[in-house]
Amino acid sequence: MMRVGVCAGLAMGLAISACAPAWAQDAVADRPSIVVSGVGTVERAPDLFRVHVNLEGRGADQVSALRALAQVQSRVNERLGGLPNLQRLRISTSGVMVKPAYESDCPTYSEMNCALAGYVASIQLRVEGSPSNLAGNIVSVASEAGAARASLEGFSVDDQSALRAEASRLAIESARRQATIIADASGLRLVRVLKIQEPGSSTAMGVQFEDAVLVDLEGVNGANAAVELSTNPTPVQVTSRLSVVFEVE
C-alpha cells in the first residue's frame, strides 16, 4: 500500500528582487514571478530485505579451517535457496579471512606468548531478496544452518525511481497550490512555470538496495525455518523538495 503526503513552504517574490536566488533571477529575467518551494512525500511498504551473515570454520590448520568453512557455506546456501515462498535471492560474499586461534584464556594483547589452538576461516555474506516478510526466516534459517552470526540490516523497495517520480509530482502540485493562493491574494494569476529547481536530491528513508540481477527461484521447495521470526518493517519514505518559479500577470 502506498501513502502520500504533501506540504509546502514559501520563498516568494513578485517581480523577483535582487535578494532572490541567482538561479531564479536568471530564469525569470524581467518577468513578474512568484518563487514557491513545495515538498512531496511518498510512503510504501518495502518488498526487499537485506541480511548480513557471518560464517566461520575451525580446524587444526588452515586447510582444515577452510574446508570446514566451505561445508558451512554450502549448507547455508542450500538452506536459504530452498526456503519456501522465496521469490528472489541474491547472495554476495566479502571479507574472506583465515587467522590463527589461541586458547580462550589468552589475553588478546599477548597472543604471541600463547599456545596456538588452531585456525579460524571466515566469510561475510550479504543476502538480499524478496518478499520482505521472509527476512526474519532468512536470519533463522542461516543460524540453523551453522552461521556464526546473522542480522537483519534493513528493507527497501525494488523500484525507487517510481517513488521518486511520484514524490516530485506531489511537490510540484504543492508548489502550484501555494503559488495560486499567493497570486489570488495579490490580484494576479499564474501564467506558466518558468523554472523548477531541486535544492536537494530526493531522499529515501531505508536501506538502499543496489542494482543487481536477482536469482529467480520458481518451483524451488525446501524446509521452512524451525523457528519462524516475524518482522514488521518501517515503510520506505521518499521525499522530494522543489523550488518552482511561476510567471504571473
Side-chain angles (χ1 to χ4, degrees):
M1 176 180 294
M2 180 182 293
R3 297 171 51 201
V4 298
V6 295
C7 58
L10 305 180
M12 56 88 180
L14 300 179
I16 294 179
S17 65
C19 64
W23 66 268
Q25 297 181 42
D26 294 341
V28 302
D30 295 327
R31 303 182 185 114
S33 59
I34 297 174
V35 184
V36 182
S37 61
V39 180
T41 299
V42 179
E43 288 186 354
R44 204 187 87 179
D47 47 25
L48 302 171
F49 62 78
R50 187 167 71 184
V51 172
H52 178 266
V53 178
N54 176 257
L55 306 181
E56 291 183 355
R58 297 176 180 271
D61 53 38
Q62 293 97 323
V63 174
S64 299
L66 286 168
R67 184 176 292 115
L69 175 62
Q71 292 174 351
V72 173
Q73 184 178 8
S74 177
R75 188 164 59 246
V76 169
N77 288 347
E78 182 178 356
R79 285 293 310 277
L80 292 179
L83 188 65
N85 302 317
L86 191 62
Q87 296 173 359
R88 292 186 296 173
L89 182 68
R90 178 180 186 269
I91 301 176
S92 55
T93 61
S94 64
V96 182
M97 180 186 301
V98 180
K99 64 180 181 180
Y102 299 93
E103 298 294 342
S104 59
D105 59 351
C106 176
T108 56
Y109 56 83
S110 60
E111 291 179 344
M112 297 300 295
N113 299 320
C114 297
L116 183 66
Y119 289 86
V120 179
S122 62
I123 190 171
Q124 311 292 323
L125 304 182
R126 184 167 62 178
V127 183
E128 304 164 312
S130 65
S132 61
N133 64 348
L134 291 183
N137 286 352
I138 289 288
V139 173
S140 184
V141 165
S143 301
E144 294 166 14
R149 287 176 292 278
S151 60
L152 174 61
E153 289 191 350
F155 299 91
S156 189
V157 294
D158 191 11
D159 183 13
Q160 287 196 5
S161 61
L163 294 184
R164 292 191 179 97
E166 177 64 10
S168 295
R169 185 186 68 79
L170 292 175
I172 293 173
E173 287 184 357
S174 174
R176 184 177 295 277
R177 285 196 300 271
Q178 296 298 318
T180 299
I181 292 173
I182 297 169
D184 289 346
S186 305
L188 301 170
R189 72 175 185 87
L190 301 185
V191 178
R192 57 171 177 159
V193 174
L194 294 177
K195 187 169 183 178
I196 299 175
Q197 177 81 9
E198 187 174 23
S201 61
S202 299
T203 56
M205 304 301 293
V207 177
Q208 178 67 37
F209 188 84
E210 68 176 21
D211 295 334
V213 177
L214 301 184
V215 179
D216 289 330
L217 298 171
E218 294 183 6
V220 174
N221 294 309
N224 210 333
V227 179
E228 296 191 15
L229 302 176
S230 61
T231 55
N232 185 25
T234 301
V236 174
Q237 184 182 92
V238 174
T239 297
S240 178
R241 295 174 174 83
L242 299 174
S243 293
V244 185
V245 180
F246 291 91
E247 182 180 1
V248 295
E249 63 178 13

